[in-house]
């Protein structure tokens, strides 16, 4: 049985195998092309069918309502109970959805994706290898073409004549020009060549084009791309006064511009990066100076004489200059223009705060210079401790000599006495201030290579202090003391017979 209530048995039997479409009258099956014409036709021609007309209007009203609001729930509150509960739900919601939130919840209920299970991740396939297989040959082709163009450009500009006829011959010998006798149209714009539109050739590939399609590369850019010096000879300067560009086709110019942009992107750095690298370089250079300053201060507080108070003051001044330079560089970064609220602005503020923190924690928090009176007091204290240690070693050596002499007298064996000055060791001489070995004779002193080496090292120490290279100063001072100890040992052995007691010789050295 057909779903159409207006079909009769005869109509069903006659139209069982035919499908009709359109705005059809259910009675006469006429196609009326629009819903308004169909309604008027049904009201005039089939007015006696009141029940069919009412059913027909209800069907069109529901269809129209469904088309205009496809998400509206036609059955009202489907979740409400039948009877009075359904009518009360409809009364609460004027939209007839049975939901206080209106059509949005009906839309979510009718959404088919809410009733579907979560889809599992499917198989993955990487196309990166295919992408590289397509991209790499293309890049290699572009790179090869660009390299050929740069080589031709170098040959073209290397020995460019000044005369126009010779220049044309030079260009044709460098790059073979295409024969333009059979070319009637411009390959770029497809316009015909004639007297007003002449043929022109690309100086790098020899292709043909019209003047409107010609591109020109400035001579300065061409010289840079060809890696030639910007200092040109006199004939080349005369030529460039009249012709300051090279005629190229669009493709050749695009390849050269791409190479130049790539080179600039690799070599040219933003101003912010340049200033930040200067700040990092200053921090790297000042780090050894900070460590050396702390070492000098500790040495002065311990009474050592390798460094002086002037050395510490000069190094502190150098550190202060570096801190001032870093502060100016960070302020310059803040002055660089950028968009407000951008990441670049946040980066500039972070660099500025980092510089302020580094200056405050590492440079401004250095210990102050000790007082000169305190330094003299520490040096005097260290000298007294050294002298006391030497006297203790002398007393212990004399006691050991007396014990050995007593034992030797009992056994009848002679024991040699201690040599003059044998109690002063090299480590004790390192604490002496401005010590120099006593000179036995002026002529022998001048001829002594050790004395000459000592004078050379003193000159090096003076130069290193002027350059604020205190690591070298420390090394040279230690070498100088080794040489002074060697000279002292040599003169002590040579003057052993004429020297007085060890105590007197040491006192004369300590206070000379």
């Amino acid at each position: 049985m057909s779903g159409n209530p207006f079909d009769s048995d005869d109509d069903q039997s006659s139209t069982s195998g035919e499908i009709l479409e359109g705005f059809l009258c259910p009675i006469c099956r006429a196609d009326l092309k629009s819903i308004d014409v169909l309604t008027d036709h049904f009201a005039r021609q089939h007015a006696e069918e009141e029940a069919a007309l009412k059913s027909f209007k209800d069907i069109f009203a529901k269809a129209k309502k469904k088309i205009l609001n496809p998400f509206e729930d036609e059955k009202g509150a489907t979740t409400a109970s039948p009877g009075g509960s359904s009518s009360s739900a409809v009364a609460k919601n004027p939209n007839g959805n049975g939901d206080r939130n209106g059509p949005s919840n009906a839309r979510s209920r009718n959404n088919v994706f809410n009733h579907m299970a979560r889809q599992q991740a499917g198989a993955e396939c990487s196309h990166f290898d295919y992408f590289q297989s397509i991209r790499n040959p293309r890049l290699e082709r572009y790179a090869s073409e660009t390299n050929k163009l740069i080589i031709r450009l170098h040959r073209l500009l290397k020995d460019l004549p000044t005369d126009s006829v010779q220049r044309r011959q030079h260009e044709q010998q460098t790059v073979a020009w295409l024969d333009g006798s059979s070319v009637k149209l411009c390959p770029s714009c497809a316009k015909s060549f004639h007297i007003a539109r002449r043929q022109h050739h690309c100086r790098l590939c020899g292709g043909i084009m019209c003047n409107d399609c010609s591109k020109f590369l400035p001579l300065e850019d061409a010289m840079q791309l060809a890696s030639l010096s910007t200092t040109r000879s006199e004939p080349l300067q005369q030529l460039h006064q009249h012709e300051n560009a090279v005629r190229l086709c669009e493709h050749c110019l695009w390849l050269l511009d791409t190479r130049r942009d790539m080179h600039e992107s690799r070599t040219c750095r933003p101003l912010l990066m340049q200033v930040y690298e200067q700040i990092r370089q200053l921090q790297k250079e000042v780090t050894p100076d900070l460590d050396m300053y702390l070492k000098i201060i500790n040495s002065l507080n311990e009474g050592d004489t390798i460094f002086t108070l002037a050395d510490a003051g000069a190094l502190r001044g150098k550190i202060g200059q570096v801190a001032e330079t870093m502060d100016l560089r960070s302020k310059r970064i803040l002055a660089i223009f950028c968009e407000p609220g951008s990441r670049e602005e946040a980066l500039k503020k972070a660099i500025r705060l980092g510089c302020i923190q580094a200056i405050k924690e590492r440079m401004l928090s250095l210990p102050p210079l000790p007082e000169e009176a305190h330094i003299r007091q520490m040096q005097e204290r260290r000298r007294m401790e050294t002298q006391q240690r030497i006297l203790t070693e002398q007393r212990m050596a004399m006691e050991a000599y007396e014990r050995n002499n007593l034992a030797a007298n009992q056994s009848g064996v002679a024991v040699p006495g201690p040599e003059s000055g044998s109690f002063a060791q090299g480590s004790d001489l390192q604490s002496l201030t401005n010590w120099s070995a006593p000179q036995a004779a002026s002529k022998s002193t001048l001829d002594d290579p050790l004395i000459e080496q000592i004078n050379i090292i003193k000159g090096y120490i003076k130069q290193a202090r002027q350059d604020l290279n205190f690591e070298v100063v420390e090394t040279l001072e230690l070498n100088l003391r080794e040489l002074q100890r060697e000279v002292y040992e040599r003169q002590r052995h040579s003057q052993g017979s004429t020297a007085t007691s060890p105590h007197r010789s040491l006192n004369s050295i300590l206070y000379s």
Side-chain angles (χ1 to χ4, degrees), residues 100-284:
R100 297 179 180 179
N101 295 331
S104 61
N105 288 337
R107 184 182 297 111
S108 64
R109 288 198 304 271
N110 293 332
N111 191 356
V112 67
F113 297 103
N114 293 337
H115 305 285
M116 294 176 60
R118 188 173 185 85
Q119 185 178 4
Q120 299 295 331
E124 296 182 357
C125 180
S126 175
H127 298 279
F128 184 70
D129 295 337
Y130 173 73
F131 168 75
Q132 283 189 330
S133 65
I134 299 298
R135 182 174 182 267
N136 291 340
R138 182 173 298 180
L139 293 179
E140 291 177 0
R141 179 169 59 86
Y142 285 156
S144 176
E145 292 181 8
T146 308
N147 293 335
K148 291 179 181 179
L149 294 181
I150 291 176
I151 293 174
R152 293 174 185 175
L153 186 62
H154 184 276
R155 294 176 180 175
L156 187 67
L157 298 177
K158 185 177 181 181
D159 299 320
L160 196 62
T162 57
D163 184 66
S164 60
V165 178
Q166 295 179 358
R167 177 174 177 268
R168 185 181 182 88
Q169 294 177 356
H170 173 71
E171 292 174 348
Q172 292 180 356
Q173 291 175 359
T174 304
V175 180
W177 287 7
L178 295 179
D179 186 12
S181 59
S182 59
V183 180
K184 305 301 181 182
L185 302 177
C186 176
S188 299
C189 61
K191 295 181 180 179
S192 60
F193 293 113
H194 46 76
I195 298 177
R197 185 178 291 110
R198 297 174 54 246
Q199 293 182 351
H200 297 278
H201 291 80
C202 175
R203 270 43 177 181
L204 294 183
C205 68
I208 297 175
M209 67 233 166
C210 64
N211 185 67
D212 296 337
C213 297
S214 300
K215 305 297 180 181
F216 294 92
L217 179 66
L219 191 62
E220 294 293 336
D221 297 341
M223 300 285 284
Q224 293 179 1
L225 286 170
S227 301
L228 295 177
S229 175
T230 55
T231 324
R232 299 187 291 269
S233 59
E234 187 65 26
L236 203 57
Q237 288 181 355
Q238 295 177 0
L239 173 67
H240 295 159
Q241 290 176 359
H242 303 283
E243 301 178 4
N244 56 357
V246 180
R247 186 186 297 270
L248 303 176
C249 64
E250 185 176 2
H251 180 68
C252 293
L253 183 62
W254 177 77
L255 289 176
L256 294 178
D257 286 343
T258 304
R259 175 63 63 87
R260 181 176 55 185
D261 294 342
M262 185 183 301
H263 179 71
E264 290 180 355
S265 64
R266 293 178 178 177
T267 56
C268 297
R269 296 171 299 170
L271 180 60
L272 190 147
M273 182 183 296
Q274 297 178 12
V275 180
Y276 178 71
E277 288 182 355
Q278 294 176 4
I279 294 175
R280 294 292 299 173
Q281 184 65 26
L282 289 173
Q283 291 180 346
K284 184 178 179 181

Side-chain angles (χ1 to χ4, degrees), residues 6 22-26 32 34-40 42 52-68:
F6 303 102
F23 293 91
L24 304 176
C25 177
L32 301 175
S34 67
I35 188 174
D36 296 332
V37 178
L38 176 59
T39 305
D40 295 339
F42 197 87
L53 179 61
K54 184 177 180 181
S55 176
F56 180 73
K57 289 183 178 180
D58 291 341
I59 290 174
F60 275 103
K62 290 181 180 181
K64 185 177 180 179
K65 189 175 181 181
K66 189 68 176 178
I67 292 173
L68 295 178

Side-chain angles (χ1 to χ4, degrees), residues 398-447:
M398 292 300 297
E399 291 177 355
Y401 170 73
E402 292 177 356
R403 289 195 300 269
N404 294 335
N405 192 14
L406 181 60
N409 291 333
Q410 293 177 356
S411 61
V413 179
V415 178
E419 296 182 359
S420 175
S422 61
F423 307 108
Q425 304 297 326
S427 59
D428 301 325
L429 298 175
Q430 292 183 4
S431 62
L432 303 180
T433 305
N434 297 326
W435 179 86
S436 60
Q439 300 179 1
S442 60
K443 184 176 181 180
S444 61
T445 302
L446 294 176
D447 295 338

Side-chain angles (χ1 to χ4, degrees), residues 416-477:
E419 296 182 359
S420 175
S422 61
F423 307 108
Q425 304 297 326
S427 59
D428 301 325
L429 298 175
Q430 292 183 4
S431 62
L432 303 180
T433 305
N434 297 326
W435 179 86
S436 60
Q439 300 179 1
S442 60
K443 184 176 181 180
S444 61
T445 302
L446 294 176
D447 295 338
D448 193 349
L450 291 180
I451 300 298
E452 183 179 358
Q453 189 69 21
I454 288 174
N455 295 330
I456 293 175
I457 291 180
K458 287 182 177 179
Y460 288 156
I461 291 174
K462 182 178 180 181
Q463 185 177 359
R465 290 184 189 276
Q466 293 176 356
D467 297 337
L468 302 181
N469 194 351
F470 295 105
E471 293 181 356
V472 177
V473 170
E474 182 181 11
T475 304
L476 292 176
E477 284 284 354

Side-chain angles (χ1 to χ4, degrees), residues 17-30:
E18 185 181 1
I19 298 176
L20 301 179
E21 294 181 355
F23 293 91
L24 304 176
C25 177
I27 305 299
C28 60
R29 296 183 181 277

Side-chain angles (χ1 to χ4, degrees), residues 489-508:
E489 292 293 334
R490 286 177 53 182
Q491 293 188 0
R492 185 177 62 82
H493 287 295
S494 63
Q495 299 177 1
S497 58
T498 59
T500 59
S501 65
H503 183 70
R504 284 189 58 189
S505 62
L506 285 172
N507 283 339
S508 62

